[in-house]
Amino acid sequence: MNSQSFDVIVIGLGGMGSSAAYHLAARGQRVLGLEKFTPAHDRGSSHGGSRIIRQSYFEDPAYVPLLLRAYELWDQLAADSGRDVYRMTGGLFLGPPDSLTVAGSLRASREWDLPHELLDADQIRSRFPTFTPQPGDVALYEAKAGFARPEMTVQAHLDLAEKAGATLHFGDEVLEWAETAGGVTVRTASGTYTAGQLVICPGAWAPQLLAEFGIPITVERQVLYWLDPVGGTGPFEEHPIFIHEDDTGMQSYGFPAIDGPRGGVKVAFFRKGTECTPDTIDRTVHPHEIREMRERVAELIPALDGPCVHTATCMYSNTPDQHFVIARHPDSAHVTVACGFSGHGFKFVPVVGEILADLVLAGATAHPISLFDPRRLVTS
């Protein structure tokens, strides 16, 4: 068995863990990153080719300062890695005026003075002719919305982490970890490792790895669909990302055609999944699911009532209030946790890495993260 010592061990090298490994290594820390699967794998939550990025945040205006910093770090990551990790396309957030998607986006935009436009149904159809909104629908348009490429982002952070001196192990599952008098010990199939600090970014494996912390997290299967537009992908090549909420409160979302003429247009429901675990998730996408997605999105964008060319599954790790958990463990000066990103975390990947590095090295961060304190979720 192998035994080595590091300054920081990072468990999980998906979106958040890869970013943490990079930011810590860039600050001179001797970092060991441990990942159960291959680099930028498709078994968790950081895959599927695209993730929406936006600033007019309907979930809560408190996220906006983190998004402003995240955008700066997206720029830096693109420059440092030489990869097109994100692209601005503009974003259209549609639905009834009092829907969370519209009213929440408007609230955040006004509170933080974010540039935006409000469009009625006629203006939506005129400016974006692929859409057929309901007569009472309105939309907030945000020019600074777009998408990030999750696999490319994870790989960029991993490459930069290694360039900064991090040691990264893949296919090396963590069997157990424990605190010691001066730090932590982590045991894997390949060895036992010690460090002064531990960062846990477990994604959908949070219920197992963090069971003793009492953080309530449920894992949910989500399905992604790529539809071949009637008439071809041409009208969708320069197309905004969108989130649409119907009058029942159900949200669906989609992207431009970013994978060429045979790649389809990616769409999905938001939080319309079934509870699962990483071991029990059904990776098969069934005909009735495809039919339901096509029927739903065709009401808004008729051209998307075409054949499904590809599907994929991923997992959301949901907290009860759908806000994140990012914190030093309240009972340990050696353990920092980032989990429960509840289906809306990937756009924050660069800034979460920065926050985790702050917490590890200083025990605190200047970023506003009080909303993410796990003590709000733990009942005595």
Side-chain angles (χ1 to χ4, degrees), residues 314-376:
C314 71
M315 291 177 284
Y316 287 180
S317 305
N318 299 320
T319 64
D321 61 8
Q322 296 172 354
H323 295 307
F324 309 157
V325 171
I326 306 174
R328 268 277 186 91
H329 188 261
D331 299 323
S332 172
H334 306 299
V335 181
T336 303
V337 173
C339 61
F341 288 94
S342 301
H344 64 112
F346 198 86
K347 60 187 71 64
F348 298 90
V349 156
V351 73
V352 169
E354 183 173 72
I355 290 167
L356 291 172
D358 290 345
L359 294 176
V360 166
L361 298 177
T365 180
H367 290 296
I369 63 167
S370 60
L371 184 63
F372 311 139
D373 189 328
R375 288 173 292 188
R376 76 188 192 276

Side-chain angles (χ1 to χ4, degrees), residues 16 39 59 69 87-88 98 123 139 144 233 259 261-262 277 281 285 342 379:
M16 304 307 174
E59 287 84 348
R69 176 57 178 160
R87 190 203 305 173
M88 291 295 122
D98 61 350
Q123 292 170 317
K144 287 190 174 181
T233 56
D259 296 318
R262 297 182 181 276
T277 72
I281 180 174
V285 178
S342 301
T379 57

Side-chain angles (χ1 to χ4, degrees), residues 178-215:
E179 288 193 81
T180 64
V184 296
T185 298
V186 177
R187 186 172 67 86
T188 75
S190 66
T192 299
Y193 307 97
T194 61
Q197 292 285 329
L198 177 65
V199 177
I200 307 177
C201 300
W205 286 261
Q208 295 99 297
L209 276 173
L210 301 177
E212 65 273 29
F213 291 177
I215 301 170

Side-chain angles (χ1 to χ4, degrees), residues 251-298:
Q251 293 170 305
S252 58
Y253 63 93
F255 297 84
I258 64 177
D259 296 318
R262 297 182 181 276
V265 172
K266 180 184 164 187
V267 295
F269 288 110
F270 187 46
R271 291 203 183 96
K272 188 179 186 296
T274 54
E275 192 168 331
C276 68
T277 72
D279 294 326
T280 64
I281 180 174
D282 182 0
R283 298 284 184 182
T284 301
V285 178
H286 302 279
H288 73 272
E289 295 178 300
I290 296 171
R291 184 168 57 250
E292 183 182 20
M293 186 76 254
R294 283 181 57 188
E295 290 173 353
R296 170 68 175 82
V297 78

